Structure formats: structure tokens, C-alpha cells
């Protein structure tokens, strides 16, 4: 099956029923995409398919046929948001981080904090308490943060 | 998942032929089926991918200009972005917004939600309250089933193995619509109980999800409201009418209490000024 992976035309011979997550990690050797739960709950496996964020643990490989897939490796480690996650300590154990950053790629130019929370509602973090993640994203978009106490997650 | 056998269909007609000849189970957004596969509870091994059948991903009005027709493959994101759904069936937009996170909203479809048939399916109370009609098609022909006759029991539907759910049709609705879902937290939570309601002055309609083995309407309570009884009287009727389930997500006593509170909330919120 053929698809575009991080901008490169790619052909992989895998079962059409294989999880896209496994194809990325096992067949393509891109282990930046993480498996947290394997059942759509945590968002650690988030990738973009044709610009839409999905849980790659729930996508049959056949559904990525001819699509454009973006994984964390597609940001080359040089994306400003990646640096901000480090500066703001938006990553601790790091399992959720690639999924968080990928989900953040779908945000508009000037997101409100609420929009950031909605965009990341499907991404769970067991470590940071989310504030540092939201801070990194708001700084990346040059958006002021409402007062610190109200940025704690309420979801 | 690699032990699963999946093939793709490139048109609805091809899909129907394959379903008849090979007995394959359709797979749309996979957000229920692949979770079941991960759990080891997925029975069918032969799947038919229908995700890319664009014909089933349309939203519009029927020739009568009134009936809203939502294609089976419409995702929650599609519903939220559709002006005609926002206009005609705002309670469905509210329900869609409360499903999972963005990842699930981008893949989960109404066809999957309906056919999967979990009593916690969030679009189910909406279609029940809307008096929707489900359009089913096989090579034998097409049939229309009232949504309120679609479920035969816990996760049992009247759909035949060779049939595809094509679309859901909703007649135009008079009166304010509402959807409320009560779960453990705002995002990603399965409903403990959900309510969809329509304040049609002549025919108020109330449906609950997660209350019983299937989605339910409450005809006695609706009749009490229609005949102008006070909300206290209607609440008493509702309490007698429902017999909620006890399960891991919540108790029967809790569900009954919340159902009554939701009804009271709806009636107060939608009271004529
Ligand atoms: C993390 C997470 C959160 C979730 N949150 C919610 C929630 O808040 N509320 C909620 O209601 N659901 C929720 N779900 C469940 C699920 O996302 C929905 O039920 C979704 O709508 C299923 O659609 P799908 O296209 O992914 O179905 P699939 O998994 O592809 O299919 C489900 C079933 O429907 C059948 N099917 C699908 N399409 C058709 C068709 N056109 N004709 C005939 N049969 C068909 C399949 O054969 C299968 O039996 C959640 C799931 C996950 C993983
Ligand atoms: S691993 Fe896919 S959502 Fe958790
Ligand atoms: S940093 Fe550990 S889960 Fe988010």
C-alpha cells in the first residue's frame, strides 16, 4: 500500500487490517508515535491523516491508503513547539508528548485556552497536570495566558 | 489485528455484493470495532472497509425540502460543522460535541454508533426523540425502519447481515431541542445517562440513553407533559415509568434520580417566556 509519510512517498507491504500504529512503529521504524492504551482513550498514538488528528491504534492500515500521514518525526525535532515543551517542562515521562504536539498542530493561528483544551481533550497526561502543556502551546501561538490558577484542567 | 481479514469496497453496490457473497462485516471509523478487537471480543474476522464510500458521507435535505438526511458515514466532526444540522437538529450537534475527544469525533460515524447499538450511544436518544427513520439497503432492496423500532434488545438491532445502514432521516421538528449527558467528566466519558428532548408544544418528546437495555422513549411522561400536567406530576409519572439498570457505571437509584432531574431541568430551561 502506498501513502505519504511525513512528506515522503512510502510503500509498505502490511496487512490492510494492521493498526496504522503498528505499521508506523514496526514496518516504518518510526517509534515516536506511542501506544498508551490501544483503545482510543489516551491519544498517545495521535497522528494526522490528511490534516485530521486520529488515534492510529484504531485506524486499519487500509484507511491510510493514498493518504498523507504526519507523525512526530515529521517535525524533525526542530519545531518551535517541541522546544517550548522542553523549556516549559510540558514533558515529563514523555509518553503523551508526541500525541500532544501532533494534536496541537490542528490548532488555528490564535487559539483561546478553551480551544486548546478542546483540541487536546482526547490526549491524556499522567504527569504534568496539563498547565505546562497549555503554557507551551499558548506561547508558541503568541497568545497571552489567562491567570495561571484558571489554566488548571477542569475537564 | 493482522489476523483480521479486511477488504475494501469502492462503491455501495460493490459493498452490498461482497456482503451478500462473502458475509463480511462492515467497518466504518473502527472506533468501536478496533476497540473490541483489542479487547479480544470481536467475533467477526472478515471485515469490509466502507470508510471511503463518499456516497454515504453526505448531509442534506430530501426532495420535500423538510426531511434532514444524514449519510451513515457522517462523522461527529461533520455533524458539528454542518450548517443544516445546526439549524434543524441542534441537539445532535450538542451530542456530537460531547463524544470522545477530537480524534474520535474525526472517525466515529453515526452509522457505527447506531448499528453498534450500545445503550450508551449518544446519538441514539437524539434520533429516538426526533422520530427518525433509518434507511437500510441490501441487494434485495431498500427499506425504511422507524428508529424507535430499530432495536430488538440489548445491542440487538433489526439490521440483516447483508444490509448496510445508508442514512438516517429526520422529519422537521417543532419546538426547542435539548441534549444533556451525565458522565464522570466532561471529555471522553461514557454516559451514565443521557437525555434528548424536544419541546414540541403539541407532542413533547423525551428519550433516555444508558437507562435501559436499549434507548427508550417515555410515552407516559410525554403524555403527562402534553396534557398540561405540572412538571411535578410529570416527574412523578417518569419515576414510575422507568426502571433503570444497575451496572458498573452507575446504580439504578442514581439513574432514576438523574433522569428526573434532567426532565425538570429541560422543562425549566425551555419554559415559554
Ligand atoms: C475513546 C472513545 C470514546 C468514545 N466516546 C463515545 C461517546 O462519548 N459517545 C458515544 O456514543 N460513543 C463513543 N465512543 C464509541 C464510538 O466512537 C461510536 O459508537 C462511533 O460512532 C462508532 O462509529 P464507527 O464508525 O467508528 O463504528 P465502527 O467501529 O466502524 O462500527 C461499529 C459497528 O457498526 C457497524 N457499522 C458501521 N457502519 C455501518 C453501516 N453503514 N451499516 C451497517 N453497519 C455498520 C459495524 O459493522 C460495527 O458492528 C467512543 C469510542 C472511543 C474509542
Ligand atoms: S494508544 Fe491509541 S489512544 Fe491510547
Ligand atoms: S508527560 Fe508523562 S504522560 Fe504526559
Amino acid at each position: 500500500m502506498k501513502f505519504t509519510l511525513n512528506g515522503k512517498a512510502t510503500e509498505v507491504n502490511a496487512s490492510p487490517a494492521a493498526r496504522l500504529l503498528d505499521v508506523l512503529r514496526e514496518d516504518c521504524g518510526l517509534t515516536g508515535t506511542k501506544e498508551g492504551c490501544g483503545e482510543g482513550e489516551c491519544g498517545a498514538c495521535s497522528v494526522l491523516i490528511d490534516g485530521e488528528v486520529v488515534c492510529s491504534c484504531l485506524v486499519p492500515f487500509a484507511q491510510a491508503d493514498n493518504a498523507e500521514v504526519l507523525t512526530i518525526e515529521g517535525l524533525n525535532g526542530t519545531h518551535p513547539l517541541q522546544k517550548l515543551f522542553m523549556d516549559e517542562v510540558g514533558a515529563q515521562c514523555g509518553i503523551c508528548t508526541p500525541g500532544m504536539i501532533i494534536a496541537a498542530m490542528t490548532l488555528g493561528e490564535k487559539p483561546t485556552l478553551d480551544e486548546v483544551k478542546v483540541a487536546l481533550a482526547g490526549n491524556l497526561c499522567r504527569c504534568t497536570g496539563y498547565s505546562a502543556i497549555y503554557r507551551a502551546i499558548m506561547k508558541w501561538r503568541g497568545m497571552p495566558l489567562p491567570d495561571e490558577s484558571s489554566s488548571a484542567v477542569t475537564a | 489485528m493482522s489476523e483480521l481479514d479486511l477488504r475494501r469496497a469502492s462503491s455501495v453496490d460493490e459493498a452490498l455484493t461482497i456482503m451478500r457473497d462473502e458475509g463480511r462485516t462492515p467497518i466504518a471509523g473502527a472506533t468501536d470495532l478496533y476497540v473490541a478487537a483489542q479487547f479480544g471480543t470481536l467475533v467477526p474476522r472478515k471485515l469490509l472497509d466502507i470508510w471511503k464510500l463518499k456516497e454515504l458521507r453526505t448531509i442534506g435535505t430530501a426532495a420535500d425540502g423538510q426531511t434532514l438526511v444524514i449519510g451513515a458515514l457522517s462523522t461527529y466532526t461533520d455533524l458539528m460543522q454542518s450548517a443544516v444540522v445546526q439549524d434543524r437538529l441542534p441537539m445532535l450537534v450538542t451530542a456530537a460535541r460531547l463524544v470522545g475527544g477530537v480524534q474520535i469525533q474525526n472517525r466515529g460515524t453515526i452509522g457505527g454508533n447506531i448499528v453498534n447499538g450500545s445503550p450508551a450511544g449518544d446519538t441514539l436518544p437524539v434520533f429516538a426523540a426526533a422520530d427518525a427513520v433509518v434507511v437500510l439497503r441490501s441487494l434485495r432492496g431498500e427499506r425504511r425502519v422507524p428508529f424507535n423500532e430499530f432495536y430488538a434488545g440489548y445491542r440487538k438491532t433489526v439490521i440483516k447481515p447483508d444490509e448496510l445502514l445508508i442514512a438516517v432521516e429526520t422529519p422537521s421538528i417543532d419546538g426547542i431541542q435539548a441534549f444533556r449527558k451525565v458522565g464522570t467528566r466532561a471529555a471522553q466519558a461514557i454516559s451514565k445517562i443521557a437525555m434528548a428532548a424536544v419541546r414540541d408544544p403539541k407532542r413533547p418528546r423525551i428519550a433516555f440513553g444508558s437507562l435501559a437495555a436499549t434507548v427508550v422513549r417515555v410515552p407516559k411522561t410525554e403524555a403527562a407533559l402534553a396534557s398540561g400536567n405540572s412538571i411535578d406530576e410529570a416527574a412523578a409519572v417518569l419515576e414510575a415509568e422507568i426502571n433503570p439498570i444497575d451496572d458498573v457505571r452507575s446504580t439504578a437509584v442514581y439513574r432514576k434520580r438523574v433522569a428526573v432531574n434532567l426532565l425538570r431541568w429541560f422543562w425549566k430551561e425551555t419554559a415559554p417566556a
Side-chain angles (χ1 to χ4, degrees):
Chain A
M1 229 152 346
K2 290 188 186 132
F3 64 117
T4 306
L5 178 55
N6 298 329
K8 281 203 278 298
T10 304
E11 192 163 353
V12 174
N13 192 6
S15 160
R19 304 184 303 174
L20 177 60
L21 173 65
D22 295 327
V23 173
L24 294 170
R25 292 181 55 90
E26 314 283 330
D27 299 274
C28 305
L30 298 185
T31 53
T33 305
K34 304 301 180 196
E35 174 160 15
C37 64
E39 52 190 69
E41 296 280 349
C42 75
C45 64
S46 296
V47 302
L48 301 192
I49 297 186
D50 294 330
E52 282 194 329
V53 65
V54 301
C55 295
S56 63
C57 69
L58 297 183
V59 176
F61 182 39
Q63 295 186 353
D65 189 26
N66 280 319
E68 281 194 29
V69 176
L70 179 77
T71 71
I72 190 71
E73 287 86 353
L75 303 183
N76 296 319
T78 54
H79 193 282
L81 185 56
Q82 290 178 303
K83 181 166 189 311
L84 276 161
F85 260 67
M86 291 191 280
D87 295 349
E88 299 295 332
V89 200
Q92 288 182 26
C93 81
I95 292 287
C96 72
T97 314
M100 291 281 179
I101 292 176
I102 286 292
M105 291 300 124
T106 63
L107 284 165
E109 284 296 313
K110 302 236 165 293
T112 63
L113 183 56
D114 275 348
E115 284 165 356
V116 173
K117 287 182 182 178
V118 169
L120 300 190
N123 295 75
L124 302 186
C125 176
R126 302 283 314 252
C127 303
T128 64
Y130 300 95
S131 297
I133 291 173
Y134 299 148
R135 201 164 58 232
I137 293 172
M138 295 299 269
K139 279 204 174 167
W140 166 51
R141 283 308 198 199
M143 296 296 285
L145 265 173
D147 116 53
E148 209 36 24
S149 58
S150 68
S151 72
V153 74
T154 50
Chain B
M1 314 296 148
S2 308
E3 73 287 359
L4 293 172
D5 167 7
L6 181 145
R7 99 171 250 207
R8 277 179 291 167
S10 50
S11 70
V12 171
D13 286 342
E14 190 197 4
L16 295 176
T17 308
I18 295 172
M19 285 169 72
R20 182 195 61 191
D21 296 344
E22 301 180 23
R24 287 178 181 266
T25 301
I27 179 164
T31 62
D32 278 316
L33 273 182
Y34 263 41
V35 172
Q38 179 76 8
F39 272 142
T41 55
L42 183 69
V43 183
R45 312 315 282 173
K46 287 168 72 183
L47 304 176
L48 179 66
D49 180 21
I50 59 169
W51 172 252
K52 296 221 171 106
L53 300 184
K54 288 208 170 57
E55 313 151 72
L56 300 184
R57 203 167 168 180
T58 54
I59 300 178
T61 45
D64 64 7
Q66 292 299 316
T67 309
L68 174 65
V69 185
I70 306 178
L73 288 180
S74 303
T75 63
Y76 299 103
T77 302
D78 295 339
L79 299 175
M80 280 153 58
Q81 291 174 350
S82 160
V84 54
V85 178
Q86 285 165 19
D87 179 44
R88 308 254 174 148
L89 205 54
M91 61 181 165
L92 184 58
V93 176
T94 311
R97 233 183 262 296
L98 295 172
V99 166
V102 182
Q103 291 89 340
I104 302 300
Q105 291 167 350
N106 282 340
R107 288 317 257 204
T109 66
I110 59 157
N113 202 231
I114 292 170
V115 177
N116 187 55
S118 158
D122 282 319
T123 70
L124 278 45
V126 170
F127 292 125
D131 283 330
V133 171
V134 170
V135 183
L136 305 175
R137 194 187 298 163
S138 72
L139 288 185
R140 293 171 291 117
E142 193 166 276
R143 58 180 181 131
R144 288 181 155 64
V145 179
F147 186 79
N148 289 309
E149 294 166 19
F150 186 70
Y151 295 103
Y154 177 71
R155 298 192 75 162
K156 277 211 184 69
T157 78
V158 303
I159 197 167
K160 300 275 178 1
D162 65 343
E163 279 178 323
L164 270 184
L165 195 157
I166 298 294
V168 184
E169 299 179 342
T170 310
S172 75
I173 293 179
D174 281 337
I176 305 176
Q177 306 172 17
F179 178 86
R180 275 289 288 274
K181 159 170 167 174
V182 178
T184 42
R185 61 191 199 96
Q188 288 280 50
I190 299 182
S191 301
K192 287 167 178 283
I193 178 167
M195 179 191 71
V198 176
R199 191 156 185 163
D200 179 329
K202 291 194 215 74
R203 225 163 47 82
R205 279 163 279 160
I206 317 282
F208 288 105
S210 294
L211 194 64
T214 64
V215 58
V216 287
R217 284 275 293 272
V218 285
K220 290 178 186 158
T221 307
E222 292 174 8
L225 292 169
S227 62
N229 287 356
S230 72
I231 184 63
D232 289 335
E233 287 165 315
V237 173
L238 178 63
E239 239 186 297
E241 184 170 20
I242 55 176
N243 188 11
I245 48 170
D246 255 314
D247 70 6
V248 289
R249 287 199 296 277
S250 143
T251 64
V253 174
Y254 173 87
R255 286 193 163 101
K256 189 170 258 200
R257 180 72 160 279
V258 175
V260 169
N261 288 348
L262 287 175
L263 179 73
R264 287 180 178 280
W265 165 83
F266 168 65
W267 210 246
K268 193 168 153 218
E269 283 295 305
T270 59

